[in-house]
Amino acid sequence: MPEHASQGEPAPLPPRERLQDLLFDAARLGRADMIPALHRAGIDLEATDLRGYTALILASYNGSLETTRALLDLGAAVDTPDTGRGNTALMGVAFKGYRQILLCLLEAGAAVDRRNLAGQTALMTATLFGHAAIVEDLLAAGANPLLVDIAGNSARSLAGTQGNVALLEVLDSACPPTGTLDG
């Protein structure tokens, strides 16, 4: 038994790496209440976990609006991409369909047309997964429906691939396809 334990003294603080891991755990689990204390302890909000995700990406992707707000309020950078595929928190919530978190990230200044390493945007992701409300919010925030990824796909072509006529109509109303005749 360690000497401090036998004397009733508190155990020493965990190493800095453990505190950093606690930030990732708090973000992943939606423990917004832990974020300020970890920040006061000097934990780096922009650090990435072993999979390359920041705390903001973890909080938003796991559906915690409160934790996402706490991180943003403490200065977490809204557009820091993961180190694997270059996805941002905005891209993650576009994939998951978390509208309130998407609106929070947009309000915090998330770059609506930021691209990941495959050239994909949040609009393309939301379209691919059929999240109509997210698509509409991104278009309202200025997302460019004409952008194409490195494979040549646009949000419109992805909606077509999915057979999502409703999203095709939404995207067409934002930017009609070229080559159509007005009748």
Side-chain angles (χ1 to χ4, degrees), residues 159-170:
T161 300
Q162 298 297 312
N164 193 329
V165 176
L167 276 183
L168 279 171
E169 291 173 3
V170 169

Side-chain angles (χ1 to χ4, degrees), residues 99 123 126 131-142 166-167 170:
R99 187 169 187 229
L123 181 62
H131 298 302
I134 301 287
V135 167
E136 290 173 1
D137 290 335
L138 290 167
L139 290 170
L167 276 183
V170 169

